[in-house]
Amino acid sequence: MTAESAIRRTCAAAAGVLLGLAALQSPALAATPAPAAALAAAPAASSTAIETRYQAPGPNQVAALDAYDPASSGRFRVYYPTNAVLKSIPIVTWGNGTGATPPVYEPLLKNIASYGYAVVASYSTNTGTGKEIVAGIKYMTAVNNDPRSALRGRLDTSKVAAVGHSQGALGTVNADRTSGSGIKTIVPIGLQQAYVTFTGMTGSAFYYGGGNDTICPPQGQINAYNATNLPAALAIKKGAVHNTEPIISSVGGYLIAWLDFQLKGDAEAAKAFTGDSPEILHNPNYQSQAVKGLSTSQS
């Protein structure tokens, strides 16, 4: 059994309800852990200010449209801030879990975009190889160069994150390992670590899982963190199961803070993961938290 077929079988139970949306035509977008000590329980504390801040919608209105990419023959759903003043917009490329499509994750993806990101999400229901995730980056690069596009010249193609759930989490690692992908950081959510090869990773990583996930159990995220020899963070949400991880508001809090830290160099967001007392290590809603190799100057 190949790694790809294995992850499809293992995470088959994670497939969400598929939601169909009518295609929107838009020429602008060419439409058609670490050592045991690091994983010790964090001291009790009540501060969750950074997480709470990013759980709320960001300052930008968000538009969404469906697009077809002739280069990859792929369909994507794109979420982007409508504020025409924004420049140097980072790119987030998304990988779905087995059987799921972008509408399943729409609340999370729209919230990311509201903080000033262009989010491209493949409609593929099998994203474990990372090919669709990389294709999303290439598509948005083309959009940035398209004279018909409302986003022409406004995207920062040097600031790219790959985020994915379940099989899509595997896809983020494989995309990062793809030569020339340009990915700066990844956020695998509910990763099945048994089918992952970490050799060749180049970007930082934030591993996020659910404490009650029986499909891709939290030990997989812990093992992945331990196997990553790059700057990384780990958080396991207490009580979360496999299919609630990317949809509940909690994942958006630290996920978006991580993106602002890694792609925008936001000093306040960085405090969730860096300094003498990173907020994430003391958040009582999480377990097995850990950070390594991170500094405010990293971004």
Side-chain angles (χ1 to χ4, degrees), residues 145-181:
N145 296 324
D146 188 342
R148 302 168 298 168
S149 172
L151 293 174
R152 183 190 184 188
R154 296 175 54 207
L155 302 178
D156 188 341
T157 57
S158 71
K159 300 290 180 66
V160 179
V163 184
H165 171 235
S166 194
Q167 188 183 153
L170 171 63
T172 66
V173 177
N174 287 332
D176 184 37
R177 296 174 61 238
T178 301
S179 177
S181 69

PDB file of all heavy atoms in Angstrom, residues 145-181:
ATOM      1  N   ASN A 145       0.264  38.353 -11.921  1.00  0.00           N
ATOM      2  CA  ASN A 145       0.831  38.898 -13.149  1.00  0.00           C
ATOM      3  C   ASN A 145      -0.211  39.163 -14.231  1.00  0.00           C
ATOM      4  O   ASN A 145       0.134  39.622 -15.323  1.00  0.00           O
ATOM      5  CB  ASN A 145       1.893  37.932 -13.704  1.00  0.00           C
ATOM      6  CG  ASN A 145       3.080  37.782 -12.774  1.00  0.00           C
ATOM      7  OD1 ASN A 145       3.481  38.740 -12.125  1.00  0.00           O
ATOM      8  ND2 ASN A 145       3.638  36.578 -12.699  1.00  0.00           N
ATOM      9  N   ASP A 146      -1.461  38.866 -13.926  1.00  0.00           N
ATOM     10  CA  ASP A 146      -2.534  38.985 -14.912  1.00  0.00           C
ATOM     11  C   ASP A 146      -3.058  40.423 -14.964  1.00  0.00           C
ATOM     12  O   ASP A 146      -3.585  40.933 -13.964  1.00  0.00           O
ATOM     13  CB  ASP A 146      -3.670  38.036 -14.534  1.00  0.00           C
ATOM     14  CG  ASP A 146      -4.748  37.934 -15.601  1.00  0.00           C
ATOM     15  OD1 ASP A 146      -4.826  38.816 -16.479  1.00  0.00           O
ATOM     16  OD2 ASP A 146      -5.529  36.965 -15.551  1.00  0.00           O
ATOM     17  N   PRO A 147      -2.946  41.124 -16.110  1.00  0.00           N
ATOM     18  CA  PRO A 147      -3.418  42.510 -16.186  1.00  0.00           C
ATOM     19  C   PRO A 147      -4.916  42.650 -15.977  1.00  0.00           C
ATOM     20  O   PRO A 147      -5.405  43.746 -15.681  1.00  0.00           O
ATOM     21  CB  PRO A 147      -3.008  42.937 -17.604  1.00  0.00           C
ATOM     22  CG  PRO A 147      -2.832  41.665 -18.359  1.00  0.00           C
ATOM     23  CD  PRO A 147      -2.339  40.663 -17.363  1.00  0.00           C
ATOM     24  N   ARG A 148      -5.669  41.548 -16.085  1.00  0.00           N
ATOM     25  CA  ARG A 148      -7.118  41.608 -15.861  1.00  0.00           C
ATOM     26  C   ARG A 148      -7.488  41.474 -14.390  1.00  0.00           C
ATOM     27  O   ARG A 148      -8.642  41.678 -14.015  1.00  0.00           O
ATOM     28  CB  ARG A 148      -7.810  40.480 -16.637  1.00  0.00           C
ATOM     29  CG  ARG A 148      -7.576  40.483 -18.135  1.00  0.00           C
ATOM     30  CD  ARG A 148      -8.058  39.177 -18.734  1.00  0.00           C
ATOM     31  NE  ARG A 148      -7.310  38.033 -18.192  1.00  0.00           N
ATOM     32  CZ  ARG A 148      -7.680  36.764 -18.364  1.00  0.00           C
ATOM     33  NH1 ARG A 148      -8.797  36.475 -19.018  1.00  0.00           N
ATOM     34  NH2 ARG A 148      -6.953  35.786 -17.852  1.00  0.00           N
ATOM     35  N   SER A 149      -6.533  41.120 -13.565  1.00  0.00           N
ATOM     36  CA  SER A 149      -6.821  40.756 -12.179  1.00  0.00           C
ATOM     37  C   SER A 149      -6.873  41.966 -11.255  1.00  0.00           C
ATOM     38  O   SER A 149      -6.025  42.860 -11.321  1.00  0.00           O
ATOM     39  CB  SER A 149      -5.743  39.794 -11.669  1.00  0.00           C
ATOM     40  OG  SER A 149      -5.885  39.567 -10.285  1.00  0.00           O
ATOM     41  N   ALA A 150      -7.855  41.948 -10.366  1.00  0.00           N
ATOM     42  CA  ALA A 150      -7.943  42.990  -9.332  1.00  0.00           C
ATOM     43  C   ALA A 150      -6.799  42.859  -8.338  1.00  0.00           C
ATOM     44  O   ALA A 150      -6.518  43.797  -7.587  1.00  0.00           O
ATOM     45  CB  ALA A 150      -9.282  42.878  -8.598  1.00  0.00           C
ATOM     46  N   LEU A 151      -6.127  41.719  -8.342  1.00  0.00           N
ATOM     47  CA  LEU A 151      -5.005  41.490  -7.431  1.00  0.00           C
ATOM     48  C   LEU A 151      -3.651  41.641  -8.127  1.00  0.00           C
ATOM     49  O   LEU A 151      -2.613  41.349  -7.530  1.00  0.00           O
ATOM     50  CB  LEU A 151      -5.107  40.093  -6.822  1.00  0.00           C
ATOM     51  CG  LEU A 151      -6.291  39.860  -5.879  1.00  0.00           C
ATOM     52  CD1 LEU A 151      -6.367  38.398  -5.463  1.00  0.00           C
ATOM     53  CD2 LEU A 151      -6.211  40.759  -4.651  1.00  0.00           C
ATOM     54  N   ARG A 152      -3.655  42.106  -9.354  1.00  0.00           N
ATOM     55  CA  ARG A 152      -2.403  42.221 -10.095  1.00  0.00           C
ATOM     56  C   ARG A 152      -1.396  43.102  -9.333  1.00  0.00           C
ATOM     57  O   ARG A 152      -1.698  44.235  -8.955  1.00  0.00           O
ATOM     58  CB  ARG A 152      -2.637  42.837 -11.468  1.00  0.00           C
ATOM     59  CG  ARG A 152      -1.361  42.920 -12.307  1.00  0.00           C
ATOM     60  CD  ARG A 152      -1.541  43.730 -13.550  1.00  0.00           C
ATOM     61  NE  ARG A 152      -0.345  43.707 -14.378  1.00  0.00           N
ATOM     62  CZ  ARG A 152      -0.167  44.450 -15.448  1.00  0.00           C
ATOM     63  NH1 ARG A 152      -1.109  45.304 -15.837  1.00  0.00           N
ATOM     64  NH2 ARG A 152       0.965  44.370 -16.140  1.00  0.00           N
ATOM     65  N   GLY A 153      -0.212  42.557  -9.110  1.00  0.00           N
ATOM     66  CA  GLY A 153       0.850  43.301  -8.452  1.00  0.00           C
ATOM     67  C   GLY A 153       0.646  43.542  -6.969  1.00  0.00           C
ATOM     68  O   GLY A 153       1.458  44.215  -6.336  1.00  0.00           O
ATOM     69  N   ARG A 154      -0.392  42.955  -6.393  1.00  0.00           N
ATOM     70  CA  ARG A 154      -0.706  43.210  -4.987  1.00  0.00           C
ATOM     71  C   ARG A 154      -0.360  42.027  -4.085  1.00  0.00           C
ATOM     72  O   ARG A 154      -0.448  42.140  -2.866  1.00  0.00           O
ATOM     73  CB  ARG A 154      -2.189  43.561  -4.839  1.00  0.00           C
ATOM     74  CG  ARG A 154      -2.576  44.859  -5.548  1.00  0.00           C
ATOM     75  CD  ARG A 154      -4.078  45.087  -5.475  1.00  0.00           C
ATOM     76  NE  ARG A 154      -4.544  45.044  -4.103  1.00  0.00           N
ATOM     77  CZ  ARG A 154      -5.777  44.697  -3.744  1.00  0.00           C
ATOM     78  NH1 ARG A 154      -6.653  44.310  -4.652  1.00  0.00           N
ATOM     79  NH2 ARG A 154      -6.125  44.695  -2.473  1.00  0.00           N
ATOM     80  N   LEU A 155       0.009  40.889  -4.674  1.00  0.00           N
ATOM     81  CA  LEU A 155       0.340  39.709  -3.881  1.00  0.00           C
ATOM     82  C   LEU A 155       1.839  39.640  -3.649  1.00  0.00           C
ATOM     83  O   LEU A 155       2.626  39.994  -4.525  1.00  0.00           O
ATOM     84  CB  LEU A 155      -0.128  38.435  -4.597  1.00  0.00           C
ATOM     85  CG  LEU A 155      -1.620  38.346  -4.934  1.00  0.00           C
ATOM     86  CD1 LEU A 155      -1.901  37.049  -5.673  1.00  0.00           C
ATOM     87  CD2 LEU A 155      -2.465  38.448  -3.680  1.00  0.00           C
ATOM     88  N   ASP A 156       2.223  39.180  -2.460  1.00  0.00           N
ATOM     89  CA  ASP A 156       3.630  38.962  -2.161  1.00  0.00           C
ATOM     90  C   ASP A 156       3.904  37.477  -2.320  1.00  0.00           C
ATOM     91  O   ASP A 156       3.654  36.682  -1.415  1.00  0.00           O
ATOM     92  CB  ASP A 156       3.962  39.431  -0.744  1.00  0.00           C
ATOM     93  CG  ASP A 156       5.459  39.410  -0.460  1.00  0.00           C
ATOM     94  OD1 ASP A 156       6.185  38.707  -1.195  1.00  0.00           O
ATOM     95  OD2 ASP A 156       5.897  40.067   0.496  1.00  0.00           O
ATOM     96  N   THR A 157       4.417  37.101  -3.482  1.00  0.00           N
ATOM     97  CA  THR A 157       4.625  35.691  -3.777  1.00  0.00           C
ATOM     98  C   THR A 157       5.842  35.111  -3.054  1.00  0.00           C
ATOM     99  O   THR A 157       6.120  33.910  -3.175  1.00  0.00           O
ATOM    100  CB  THR A 157       4.776  35.479  -5.289  1.00  0.00           C
ATOM    101  OG1 THR A 157       5.852  36.290  -5.775  1.00  0.00           O
ATOM    102  CG2 THR A 157       3.492  35.865  -6.011  1.00  0.00           C
ATOM    103  N   SER A 158       6.547  35.936  -2.297  1.00  0.00           N
ATOM    104  CA  SER A 158       7.649  35.434  -1.467  1.00  0.00           C
ATOM    105  C   SER A 158       7.179  35.090  -0.062  1.00  0.00           C
ATOM    106  O   SER A 158       7.955  34.569   0.745  1.00  0.00           O
ATOM    107  CB  SER A 158       8.775  36.468  -1.389  1.00  0.00           C
ATOM    108  OG  SER A 158       8.383  37.591  -0.602  1.00  0.00           O
ATOM    109  N   LYS A 159       5.936  35.387   0.248  1.00  0.00           N
ATOM    110  CA  LYS A 159       5.363  35.111   1.574  1.00  0.00           C
ATOM    111  C   LYS A 159       4.203  34.139   1.393  1.00  0.00           C
ATOM    112  O   LYS A 159       3.061  34.538   1.142  1.00  0.00           O
ATOM    113  CB  LYS A 159       4.884  36.408   2.235  1.00  0.00           C
ATOM    114  CG  LYS A 159       5.985  37.441   2.457  1.00  0.00           C
ATOM    115  CD  LYS A 159       6.958  37.004   3.531  1.00  0.00           C
ATOM    116  CE  LYS A 159       8.071  38.028   3.760  1.00  0.00           C
ATOM    117  NZ  LYS A 159       7.561  39.279   4.318  1.00  0.00           N
ATOM    118  N   VAL A 160       4.518  32.854   1.487  1.00  0.00           N
ATOM    119  CA  VAL A 160       3.528  31.811   1.213  1.00  0.00           C
ATOM    120  C   VAL A 160       3.470  30.827   2.372  1.00  0.00           C
ATOM    121  O   VAL A 160       4.502  30.359   2.865  1.00  0.00           O
ATOM    122  CB  VAL A 160       3.877  31.044  -0.084  1.00  0.00           C
ATOM    123  CG1 VAL A 160       2.853  29.936  -0.340  1.00  0.00           C
ATOM    124  CG2 VAL A 160       3.943  31.998  -1.274  1.00  0.00           C
ATOM    125  N   ALA A 161       2.247  30.494   2.790  1.00  0.00           N
ATOM    126  CA  ALA A 161       2.021  29.462   3.803  1.00  0.00           C
ATOM    127  C   ALA A 161       1.143  28.373   3.211  1.00  0.00           C
ATOM    128  O   ALA A 161       0.255  28.646   2.401  1.00  0.00           O
ATOM    129  CB  ALA A 161       1.350  30.054   5.039  1.00  0.00           C
ATOM    130  N   ALA A 162       1.383  27.125   3.620  1.00  0.00           N
ATOM    131  CA  ALA A 162       0.530  26.002   3.242  1.00  0.00           C
ATOM    132  C   ALA A 162      -0.158  25.496   4.506  1.00  0.00           C
ATOM    133  O   ALA A 162       0.501  25.183   5.496  1.00  0.00           O
ATOM    134  CB  ALA A 162       1.340  24.888   2.591  1.00  0.00           C
ATOM    135  N   VAL A 163      -1.483  25.426   4.454  1.00  0.00           N
ATOM    136  CA  VAL A 163      -2.287  24.994   5.596  1.00  0.00           C
ATOM    137  C   VAL A 163      -3.225  23.891   5.106  1.00  0.00           C
ATOM    138  O   VAL A 163      -3.777  23.985   4.006  1.00  0.00           O
ATOM    139  CB  VAL A 163      -3.111  26.160   6.180  1.00  0.00           C
ATOM    140  CG1 VAL A 163      -3.859  25.714   7.435  1.00  0.00           C
ATOM    141  CG2 VAL A 163      -2.214  27.363   6.481  1.00  0.00           C
ATOM    142  N   GLY A 164      -3.397  22.840   5.904  1.00  0.00           N
ATOM    143  CA  GLY A 164      -4.289  21.778   5.471  1.00  0.00           C
ATOM    144  C   GLY A 164      -4.749  20.909   6.617  1.00  0.00           C
ATOM    145  O   GLY A 164      -4.146  20.876   7.691  1.00  0.00           O
ATOM    146  N   HIS A 165      -5.832  20.186   6.369  1.00  0.00           N
ATOM    147  CA  HIS A 165      -6.449  19.328   7.389  1.00  0.00           C
ATOM    148  C   HIS A 165      -6.392  17.868   6.952  1.00  0.00           C
ATOM    149  O   HIS A 165      -6.676  17.541   5.800  1.00  0.00           O
ATOM    150  CB  HIS A 165      -7.906  19.756   7.588  1.00  0.00           C
ATOM    151  CG  HIS A 165      -8.703  18.822   8.454  1.00  0.00           C
ATOM    152  ND1 HIS A 165      -9.888  18.240   8.042  1.00  0.00           N
ATOM    153  CD2 HIS A 165      -8.491  18.362   9.710  1.00  0.00           C
ATOM    154  CE1 HIS A 165     -10.373  17.477   9.005  1.00  0.00           C
ATOM    155  NE2 HIS A 165      -9.540  17.533  10.028  1.00  0.00           N
ATOM    156  N   SER A 166      -5.994  16.986   7.867  1.00  0.00           N
ATOM    157  CA  SER A 166      -6.030  15.548   7.649  1.00  0.00           C
ATOM    158  C   SER A 166      -5.150  15.168   6.452  1.00  0.00           C
ATOM    159  O   SER A 166      -3.948  15.379   6.493  1.00  0.00           O
ATOM    160  CB  SER A 166      -7.484  15.098   7.467  1.00  0.00           C
ATOM    161  OG  SER A 166      -7.609  13.714   7.565  1.00  0.00           O
ATOM    162  N   GLN A 167      -5.729  14.622   5.387  1.00  0.00           N
ATOM    163  CA  GLN A 167      -4.908  14.333   4.217  1.00  0.00           C
ATOM    164  C   GLN A 167      -4.250  15.612   3.691  1.00  0.00           C
ATOM    165  O   GLN A 167      -3.116  15.584   3.208  1.00  0.00           O
ATOM    166  CB  GLN A 167      -5.720  13.681   3.099  1.00  0.00           C
ATOM    167  CG  GLN A 167      -4.836  13.199   1.969  1.00  0.00           C
ATOM    168  CD  GLN A 167      -5.589  12.606   0.786  1.00  0.00           C
ATOM    169  OE1 GLN A 167      -5.080  12.641  -0.323  1.00  0.00           O
ATOM    170  NE2 GLN A 167      -6.771  12.068   1.003  1.00  0.00           N
ATOM    171  N   GLY A 168      -4.958  16.726   3.799  1.00  0.00           N
ATOM    172  CA  GLY A 168      -4.364  18.003   3.395  1.00  0.00           C
ATOM    173  C   GLY A 168      -3.207  18.419   4.278  1.00  0.00           C
ATOM    174  O   GLY A 168      -2.307  19.137   3.841  1.00  0.00           O
ATOM    175  N   ALA A 169      -3.197  17.955   5.542  1.00  0.00           N
ATOM    176  CA  ALA A 169      -2.054  18.217   6.421  1.00  0.00           C
ATOM    177  C   ALA A 169      -0.813  17.504   5.891  1.00  0.00           C
ATOM    178  O   ALA A 169       0.287  18.067   5.858  1.00  0.00           O
ATOM    179  CB  ALA A 169      -2.367  17.760   7.839  1.00  0.00           C
ATOM    180  N   LEU A 170      -0.999  16.248   5.471  1.00  0.00           N
ATOM    181  CA  LEU A 170       0.090  15.526   4.816  1.00  0.00           C
ATOM    182  C   LEU A 170       0.551  16.277   3.580  1.00  0.00           C
ATOM    183  O   LEU A 170       1.751  16.409   3.307  1.00  0.00           O
ATOM    184  CB  LEU A 170      -0.378  14.122   4.436  1.00  0.00           C
ATOM    185  CG  LEU A 170       0.550  13.288   3.548  1.00  0.00           C
ATOM    186  CD1 LEU A 170       1.859  13.001   4.251  1.00  0.00           C
ATOM    187  CD2 LEU A 170      -0.144  11.989   3.129  1.00  0.00           C
ATOM    188  N   GLY A 171      -0.418  16.826   2.836  1.00  0.00           N
ATOM    189  CA  GLY A 171      -0.093  17.574   1.630  1.00  0.00           C
ATOM    190  C   GLY A 171       0.759  18.799   1.894  1.00  0.00           C
ATOM    191  O   GLY A 171       1.609  19.161   1.072  1.00  0.00           O
ATOM    192  N   THR A 172       0.559  19.445   3.048  1.00  0.00           N
ATOM    193  CA  THR A 172       1.378  20.636   3.341  1.00  0.00           C
ATOM    194  C   THR A 172       2.845  20.265   3.503  1.00  0.00           C
ATOM    195  O   THR A 172       3.730  20.986   3.045  1.00  0.00           O
ATOM    196  CB  THR A 172       0.895  21.357   4.616  1.00  0.00           C
ATOM    197  OG1 THR A 172       1.109  20.537   5.774  1.00  0.00           O
ATOM    198  CG2 THR A 172      -0.567  21.759   4.521  1.00  0.00           C
ATOM    199  N   VAL A 173       3.105  19.117   4.160  1.00  0.00           N
ATOM    200  CA  VAL A 173       4.489  18.676   4.327  1.00  0.00           C
ATOM    201  C   VAL A 173       5.100  18.326   2.970  1.00  0.00           C
ATOM    202  O   VAL A 173       6.220  18.734   2.645  1.00  0.00           O
ATOM    203  CB  VAL A 173       4.575  17.465   5.284  1.00  0.00           C
ATOM    204  CG1 VAL A 173       6.013  16.972   5.398  1.00  0.00           C
ATOM    205  CG2 VAL A 173       4.032  17.827   6.660  1.00  0.00           C
ATOM    206  N   ASN A 174       4.349  17.587   2.148  1.00  0.00           N
ATOM    207  CA  ASN A 174       4.856  17.206   0.836  1.00  0.00           C
ATOM    208  C   ASN A 174       5.045  18.415  -0.073  1.00  0.00           C
ATOM    209  O   ASN A 174       5.980  18.465  -0.867  1.00  0.00           O
ATOM    210  CB  ASN A 174       3.930  16.184   0.192  1.00  0.00           C
ATOM    211  CG  ASN A 174       4.044  14.809   0.828  1.00  0.00           C
ATOM    212  OD1 ASN A 174       5.097  14.451   1.366  1.00  0.00           O
ATOM    213  ND2 ASN A 174       2.967  14.042   0.800  1.00  0.00           N
ATOM    214  N   ALA A 175       4.162  19.394   0.056  1.00  0.00           N
ATOM    215  CA  ALA A 175       4.314  20.616  -0.738  1.00  0.00           C
ATOM    216  C   ALA A 175       5.574  21.364  -0.323  1.00  0.00           C
ATOM    217  O   ALA A 175       6.316  21.885  -1.166  1.00  0.00           O
ATOM    218  CB  ALA A 175       3.080  21.501  -0.583  1.00  0.00           C
ATOM    219  N   ASP A 176       5.825  21.424   0.991  1.00  0.00           N
ATOM    220  CA  ASP A 176       7.018  22.105   1.487  1.00  0.00           C
ATOM    221  C   ASP A 176       8.285  21.412   0.997  1.00  0.00           C
ATOM    222  O   ASP A 176       9.311  22.057   0.762  1.00  0.00           O
ATOM    223  CB  ASP A 176       6.988  22.143   3.017  1.00  0.00           C
ATOM    224  CG  ASP A 176       8.154  22.910   3.611  1.00  0.00           C
ATOM    225  OD1 ASP A 176       8.565  23.923   3.018  1.00  0.00           O
ATOM    226  OD2 ASP A 176       8.670  22.497   4.661  1.00  0.00           O
ATOM    227  N   ARG A 177       8.225  20.099   0.853  1.00  0.00           N
ATOM    228  CA  ARG A 177       9.371  19.331   0.386  1.00  0.00           C
ATOM    229  C   ARG A 177       9.563  19.422  -1.128  1.00  0.00           C
ATOM    230  O   ARG A 177      10.569  18.948  -1.658  1.00  0.00           O
ATOM    231  CB  ARG A 177       9.213  17.859   0.787  1.00  0.00           C
ATOM    232  CG  ARG A 177       9.201  17.632   2.303  1.00  0.00           C
ATOM    233  CD  ARG A 177       8.886  16.188   2.646  1.00  0.00           C
ATOM    234  NE  ARG A 177       9.887  15.290   2.099  1.00  0.00           N
ATOM    235  CZ  ARG A 177       9.607  14.292   1.248  1.00  0.00           C
ATOM    236  NH1 ARG A 177       8.366  14.078   0.869  1.00  0.00           N
ATOM    237  NH2 ARG A 177      10.565  13.517   0.803  1.00  0.00           N
ATOM    238  N   THR A 178       8.601  20.010  -1.840  1.00  0.00           N
ATOM    239  CA  THR A 178       8.681  20.142  -3.292  1.00  0.00           C
ATOM    240  C   THR A 178       9.648  21.249  -3.669  1.00  0.00           C
ATOM    241  O   THR A 178       9.497  22.395  -3.238  1.00  0.00           O
ATOM    242  CB  THR A 178       7.298  20.444  -3.891  1.00  0.00           C
ATOM    243  OG1 THR A 178       6.391  19.381  -3.549  1.00  0.00           O
ATOM    244  CG2 THR A 178       7.377  20.580  -5.407  1.00  0.00           C
ATOM    245  N   SER A 179      10.635  20.924  -4.458  1.00  0.00           N
ATOM    246  CA  SER A 179      11.650  21.900  -4.850  1.00  0.00           C
ATOM    247  C   SER A 179      11.019  23.097  -5.539  1.00  0.00           C
ATOM    248  O   SER A 179      10.198  22.950  -6.450  1.00  0.00           O
ATOM    249  CB  SER A 179      12.664  21.241  -5.797  1.00  0.00           C
ATOM    250  OG  SER A 179      13.609  22.174  -6.249  1.00  0.00           O
ATOM    251  N   GLY A 180      11.376  24.285  -5.070  1.00  0.00           N
ATOM    252  CA  GLY A 180      10.908  25.507  -5.703  1.00  0.00           C
ATOM    253  C   GLY A 180       9.506  25.936  -5.339  1.00  0.00           C
ATOM    254  O   GLY A 180       8.952  26.850  -5.955  1.00  0.00           O
ATOM    255  N   SER A 181       8.890  25.292  -4.334  1.00  0.00           N
ATOM    256  CA  SER A 181       7.518  25.663  -3.973  1.00  0.00           C
ATOM    257  C   SER A 181       7.449  27.060  -3.371  1.00  0.00           C
ATOM    258  O   SER A 181       6.431  27.735  -3.459  1.00  0.00           O
ATOM    259  CB  SER A 181       6.927  24.648  -2.989  1.00  0.00           C
ATOM    260  OG  SER A 181       7.572  24.723  -1.719  1.00  0.00           O
TER     261      SER A 181
END
